[in-house]
Amino acid sequence: SVGGGRGRVAAPASVVSPPDLEDPLRFGSPRGSQMVRALVPLGPRVTLEGIAVHSFQPALLPPVTPRDALATSGVPAAEAIANDPSWDVDLRLRDPLPPATFANAPLAARVTSDLPFLGAEVGASWYRGRSPIPEVAASDLDVDFAGRRLGGEVLLVYPRLQMFGADAALEV
């Protein structure tokens, strides 16, 4: 703001809402989540903010063909198969969502304190949930080199995450 003011550049608890990676115009923007939010004053200059989301939501991802996934895998043999049009690639992806339980619900908390003698605000954050981006947990692949066919199934999972962060905002 003109004339000074305090403002955070990044919000450590922003991982609660999964990103939209599908829409090129909103790429990386949070999708938004239905959540419960509570602000609890802990003292004259200390506040606790808590957030609970009822269930895990993954990021919106663009559609990717199995051949495209192989081509960008970084594995030379997989890239060679993907770039050779004579190969038949028939991979089935399974990415089951974690069950809607409290253990899988994203939770976040942030404690902030105003430091008026410095014109600053300091905070500490905590997040417990799952990664909104899946990763490969297991694969059962069938490769027929003579028939030039790659088939099988790939299981994707959303790994658990626990993060801690700290931030400060200074008035200038």
Side-chain angles (χ1 to χ4, degrees):
S1 67
V2 176
R6 247 188 337 232
R8 285 184 306 226
V9 174
S14 66
V15 294
V16 172
S17 293
D20 181 347
L21 302 175
E22 181 181 47
D23 185 344
L25 299 176
R26 291 187 33 92
F27 189 84
S29 298
R31 287 179 47 197
S33 297
Q34 293 182 356
M35 62 181 75
V36 174
R37 179 177 174 245
L39 287 171
V40 180
L42 299 177
R45 291 195 161 87
V46 179
T47 304
L48 170 66
E49 177 182 7
I51 296 172
V53 180
H54 65 68
S55 64
F56 167 77
Q57 291 182 350
L60 284 178
L61 299 173
V64 176
T65 66
R67 189 175 290 275
D68 289 340
L70 290 173
T72 59
S73 69
V75 177
E79 291 174 355
I81 289 173
N83 292 323
D84 185 342
S86 67
W87 274 81
D88 176 30
V89 177
D90 180 26
L91 296 174
R92 293 169 305 285
L93 297 177
R94 284 191 321 119
D95 64 341
L97 290 178
T101 63
F102 180 75
N104 291 323
L107 302 173
R110 183 167 185 265
V111 176
T112 57
S113 180
D114 222 9
L115 303 175
F117 59 92
L118 289 176
E121 177 186 89
V122 294
S125 302
W126 165 79
Y127 170 78
R128 187 222 61 194
R130 292 189 174 267
S131 169
I133 310 291
E135 53 184 59
V136 175
S139 60
D140 183 18
L141 303 178
D142 300 316
V143 182
D144 177 5
F145 289 101
R148 302 181 80 70
R149 183 181 180 288
L150 173 64
E153 184 175 272
V154 177
L155 174 64
L156 302 175
V157 296
Y158 299 91
R160 291 187 183 277
L161 287 179
Q162 182 153 269
M163 300 184 323
F164 298 92
D167 64 278
L170 183 63
E171 191 169 319
V172 291

